[in-house]
């Protein structure tokens, strides 16, 4: 399966192909994969994410899926790359990983049927849909700061074409330990359904990204942790967590909170009241 990456090469963003342990530019320049400065493999005009899709995640929360998927938007300013630093702002403590598959649009899509959607997909990449749940009390509706804060949308390492999303494993690791272990077969709505659903009212342009949902066991991570998401056939996306250089300002806006809504979402099945009382969603 062809794989394309974007790297910084001699000061310019360059698309390269993967050839063993080397990345090869169109003009023949070669660089070792482990020495390359990776960029997000695509430059989307928008990133759209489904709220819940994996049945293991739904079972963990002891809730029911809606009849149809619901979505939120991550701004392009949240984009990050393979080996990029994920910033947990000073004053926040509930930053969760969410390993996912990202769908990348290849042709302008509008008002298409699910059975046509594959023709509009350029390929797939690995994503980690980080959530800063400290802001969940104020942004649960839009998820803007929860999911859209700077650095919280790493994609990569590359865009893989001709990848069949059916029956693929998805695992997340923290410091080398498996913390999420799921499969694309547990998705309620598959990749083609998601593309067609969004494209009913929102035009999807080449490079746009749809995040397809995470399995159970999203949990908080700490500065210094190394988080990796591995999807069968797509590779492994690696990032590390750092503390932001400045604290959250206190002279404007809502402040980080630690309510039951925050804790129940951040801790998932580890929340001590899970099954005793349901979180507000």
């Amino acid at each position: 399966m062809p794989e394309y990456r974007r790297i910084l090469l001699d000061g310019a963003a360059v698309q390269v192909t993967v050839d063993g342990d080397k990345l090869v530019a169109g003009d023949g320049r070669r660089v070792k994969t482990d020495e390359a400065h990776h960029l997000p493999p695509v430059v989307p005009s928008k990133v759209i994410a489904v709220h819940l899709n994996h049945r293991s995640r739904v079972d963990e929360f002891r809730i029911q899926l809606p009849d149809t998927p619901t979505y939120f938007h991550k701004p392009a300013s949240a984009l990050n790359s393979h080996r990029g630093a994920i910033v947990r702002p000073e004053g926040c403590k509930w930053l969760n990983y969410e390993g996912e598959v990202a769908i990348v649009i290849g042709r302008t899509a509008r008002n298409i049927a699910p059975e046509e959607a594959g023709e509009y997909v350029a390929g797939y990449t690995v994503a980690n849909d980080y959530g800063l749940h400290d802001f969940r009390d104020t942004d649960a509706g839009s998820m803007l700061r929860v999911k859209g804060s700077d650095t919280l949308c790493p994609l990569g390492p590359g865009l893989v074409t001709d990848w069949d999303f059916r029956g693929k494993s998805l695992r997340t690791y923290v410091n080398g330990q498996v913390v999420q272990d799921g499969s694309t077969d547990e998705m309620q709505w598959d990749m083609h359904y998601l593309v067609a659903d969004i494209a009913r009212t929102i035009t999807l342009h080449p490079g746009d990204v749809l995040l397809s949902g995470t399995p159970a066991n999203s949990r908080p991570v700490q500065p210094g942790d190394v988080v990796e998401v591995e999807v069968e056939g797509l590779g492994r996306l690696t990032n590390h967590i750092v503390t932001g250089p400045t604290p959250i300002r206190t002279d404007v806006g809502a402040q980080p909170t630690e309510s039951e809504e925050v804790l129940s979402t951040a801790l998932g099945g580890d929340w001590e009241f899970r099954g005793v009382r349901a979180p507000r969603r």
Side-chain angles (χ1 to χ4, degrees):
M1 294 178 289
E3 180 180 350
Y4 303 92
R5 301 190 184 187
R6 289 176 66 249
I7 65 172
L8 193 64
L9 186 58
D10 295 333
V14 177
Q15 186 181 70
V16 295
T17 57
V18 178
D19 182 15
D21 64 350
K22 299 288 198 314
L23 302 177
V24 184
D27 59 7
R29 285 178 295 174
R30 304 170 73 89
V31 61
K32 291 183 178 179
T33 302
D34 58 5
E35 296 177 358
H37 181 141
H38 281 75
L39 302 171
V42 294
V43 184
S45 69
K46 50 189 168 288
V47 179
I48 298 171
V50 65
H51 277 106
L52 289 170
N53 196 7
H54 282 250
R55 286 184 287 275
S56 64
R57 179 82 161 151
V58 174
D59 293 344
E60 177 186 26
F61 278 105
R62 303 185 186 182
I63 56 178
Q64 291 185 336
L65 278 171
D67 293 334
T68 55
T70 61
Y71 304 90
F72 59 92
H73 177 250
K74 290 172 83 86
S77 54
L79 283 173
N80 204 337
S81 62
H82 177 52
R83 300 194 186 123
I86 306 299
V87 176
R88 191 185 76 176
E90 186 176 336
C92 295
K93 56 188 293 188
W94 301 108
L95 174 67
N96 280 46
Y97 55 79
E98 292 187 15
E100 309 203 4
V101 175
I103 308 160
V104 179
I105 300 300
R107 295 170 50 198
T108 299
R110 180 72 165 83
N111 195 29
I112 59 175
E115 56 268 24
E116 300 174 299
E119 302 171 17
Y120 295 83
V121 174
Y124 301 85
T125 189
V126 185
N128 199 329
D129 181 21
Y130 283 94
L132 190 65
H133 294 296
D134 305 73
F135 285 102
R136 193 170 185 90
D137 283 323
T138 54
D139 285 10
S142 69
M143 302 288 277
L144 182 60
R145 284 169 290 196
V146 176
K147 293 301 187 78
S149 293
D150 290 353
T151 76
L152 299 192
C153 188
L155 302 174
L159 170 66
V160 178
T161 60
D162 299 325
W163 181 74
D164 185 349
F165 59 77
R166 299 166 184 87
K168 298 300 191 295
S169 63
L170 186 163
R171 294 186 179 91
T172 303
Y173 302 78
V174 176
N175 302 325
Q177 300 297 311
V178 176
V179 291
Q180 287 185 294
D181 192 351
S183 166
T184 55
D185 280 351
E186 66 171 280
M187 294 169 61
Q188 180 69 24
W189 301 287
D190 71 20
M191 313 294 184
H192 293 168
Y193 183 102
L194 299 177
V195 171
D197 187 16
I198 288 295
R200 290 185 303 159
T201 60
I202 298 174
T203 300
L204 295 172
H205 296 290
D208 283 351
V209 169
L210 276 67
L211 304 185
S212 60
T214 195
N217 297 318
S218 164
R219 296 293 186 272
V221 283
Q222 310 299 322
D225 287 342
V226 175
V227 185
E228 300 168 286
V229 182
E230 184 176 47
V231 179
E232 182 181 353
L234 296 183
R236 186 179 288 216
L237 169 69
T238 301
N239 299 100
H240 58 283
I241 313 301
V242 301
T243 299
T246 57
I248 295 292
R249 294 189 67 96
T250 59
D251 59 351
V252 64
Q255 297 302 301
T257 56
E258 205 168 21
S259 67
E260 283 200 351
E261 173 69 8
V262 170
L263 296 176
S264 66
T265 306
L267 297 178
D270 294 336
W271 187 47
E272 62 179 320
F273 298 115
R274 181 74 58 208
V276 178
R277 52 181 181 270
R280 192 167 44 83
R281 306 253 347 141

